[in-house]
């Protein structure tokens, strides 16, 4: 007997599961098709040896939108995140390293070992990224304008672009820099110490598989402050029990 569905979701990854949830909640009859016997896609935890489990792809969380967490009532099903106390550890030699994260003052104190100028620049650097991230957060739950909708699409585009257009000129420059510059170029404009730039540069290449000299790689720096954990913007954490 052939069953009829309003929507078929190809792939039971975390995005597919969330999509199916919202479609089903809206009253549609949904079916998810997944070739594996494990659902979750990149956000899975699997046993790699008897008694030992590991998050095999996605290993930390920040970009899971708070509205999705609330709508799906994930906390009622055991979702709990422990905030990450340190963001990056970069060994420099047998006797030295740079440790990033754990709060502004702690990171500034670490930077001051390499450059007082870089330590002083850090608050403004964080503020620049946060200003851009705030605008993009406001857009993340909005459907992009549909080009085929005529005047409506123009109105939607104006509404969604208003946040960017209303930013001060220096912040608009930051937006353009983060989307078109390389991470190397962007970081060079803020910091002078190679260890400091290397510590941030890691964020521009992880998961990106591109050189920090690649145009557009500065965006990945923004990507790392875009999310939040437990109501704290820019924080990352580990999901108890695995992703």
């Amino acid at each position: 007997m052939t069953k009829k569905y309003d929507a078929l979701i190809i792939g039971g990854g975390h995005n597919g599961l969330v999509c199916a949830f919202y479609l089903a909640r809206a009253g549609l009859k949904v079916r998810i098709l997944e070739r594996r016997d494990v659902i979750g896609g990149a956000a899975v935890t699997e046993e790699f040896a008897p008694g030992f489990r590991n998050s095999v792809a996605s290993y930390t969380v920040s970009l899971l939108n708070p509205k999705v967490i609330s709508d799906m009532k994930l906390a009622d099903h055991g979702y709990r995140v422990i905030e990450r106390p340190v963001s990056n550890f970069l060994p420099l030699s047998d006797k030295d390293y740079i440790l990033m994260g754990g709060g502004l003052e702690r990171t500034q104190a670490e930077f001051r070992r390499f450059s007082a100028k870089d330590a002083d620049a850090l608050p403004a650097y964080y503020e620049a990224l946060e200003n851009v991230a705030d605008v993009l957060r406001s857009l993340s739950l909005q459907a992009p304008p549909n080009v085929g909708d005529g005047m409506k699409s123009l109105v939607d585009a104006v509404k969604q672009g208003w946040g960017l257009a209303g930013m001060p000129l220096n912040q608009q420059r930051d937006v353009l820099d983060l989307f078109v510059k390389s991470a190397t170029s962007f970081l060079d404009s803020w910091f002078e110490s190679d260890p400091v730039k290397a510590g941030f540069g890691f964020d521009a290449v992880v998961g990106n598989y591109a050189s920090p000299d690649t145009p557009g790689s500065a965006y990945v720096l923004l990507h790392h402050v875009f999310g939040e954990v437990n109501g704290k913007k820019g924080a990352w954490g580990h999901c108890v029990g695995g992703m």
Side-chain angles (χ1 to χ4, degrees), residues 28-240:
L28 275 66
K29 191 173 183 180
V30 185
R31 187 172 185 88
I32 301 175
L33 303 176
E34 170 58 52
R35 68 180 178 84
R36 302 188 68 208
D37 57 359
V38 178
I39 60 170
V44 297
T45 303
E46 298 182 77
E47 188 174 73
F48 62 90
F52 293 89
R53 302 170 73 245
N54 184 54
S55 296
V56 296
S58 179
Y59 54 90
T60 185
V61 63
S62 174
L63 300 174
L64 181 55
N65 195 284
K67 188 177 189 308
V68 174
I69 295 172
S70 175
D71 288 349
M72 298 187 77
K73 296 182 172 56
L74 296 184
D76 293 348
H77 298 280
Y79 178 76
R80 185 164 66 95
V81 177
I82 303 298
E83 294 167 38
R84 190 173 63 173
V86 170
S87 56
N88 287 337
F89 168 76
L90 175 66
L92 302 173
S93 68
D94 289 343
K95 298 181 179 179
D96 203 5
Y97 60 87
I98 185 169
L99 190 67
M100 304 171 70
L104 174 62
E105 293 181 357
R106 177 176 171 179
T107 304
Q108 279 184 295
E110 189 76 359
F111 281 14
R112 201 161 277 118
R113 297 196 298 114
F114 302 93
S115 167
K117 179 182 176 182
D118 288 357
D120 292 339
L122 187 61
Y125 172 80
Y126 281 158
E127 183 181 9
L129 265 62
E130 185 58 35
N131 286 333
V132 179
D134 267 341
V135 173
L136 296 184
R137 287 188 190 105
S138 69
L139 297 174
S140 63
L141 294 176
Q142 299 183 44
N146 188 341
V147 177
D149 283 351
M151 184 58 69
K152 181 180 183 303
S153 67
L154 292 177
V155 173
D156 290 342
V158 170
K159 287 181 179 178
Q160 294 185 20
W162 191 253
L164 291 171
M167 298 174 78
L169 187 59
N170 65 309
Q171 293 180 17
Q172 291 184 32
R173 289 197 188 102
D174 290 334
V175 172
L176 292 175
D177 286 349
L178 284 163
F179 276 91
V180 302
K181 279 188 173 181
S182 69
T184 297
S185 177
F186 186 77
L187 292 170
D188 280 345
S189 69
W190 282 94
F191 306 110
E192 63 179 10
S193 167
D194 284 341
V196 168
K197 288 186 284 188
F200 280 125
F202 170 77
D203 285 342
V205 299
V206 62
N208 191 27
Y209 303 108
S211 163
D213 295 323
T214 303
S217 57
Y219 164 75
V220 193
L221 297 169
L222 178 64
H223 171 91
H224 278 78
V225 301
F226 181 71
E228 63 180 84
V229 165
N230 300 333
K232 296 182 180 179
K233 294 179 179 179
W236 289 73
H238 297 284
C239 188
V240 175

Side-chain angles (χ1 to χ4, degrees), residues 9-23 30 32 34 39-43 63-65 68 72:
I9 306 295
I10 310 300
H14 57 292
N15 289 317
L17 294 171
V18 173
C19 180
F21 163 80
Y22 281 107
L23 290 173
V30 185
I32 301 175
E34 170 58 52
I39 60 170
L63 300 174
L64 181 55
N65 195 284
V68 174
M72 298 187 77

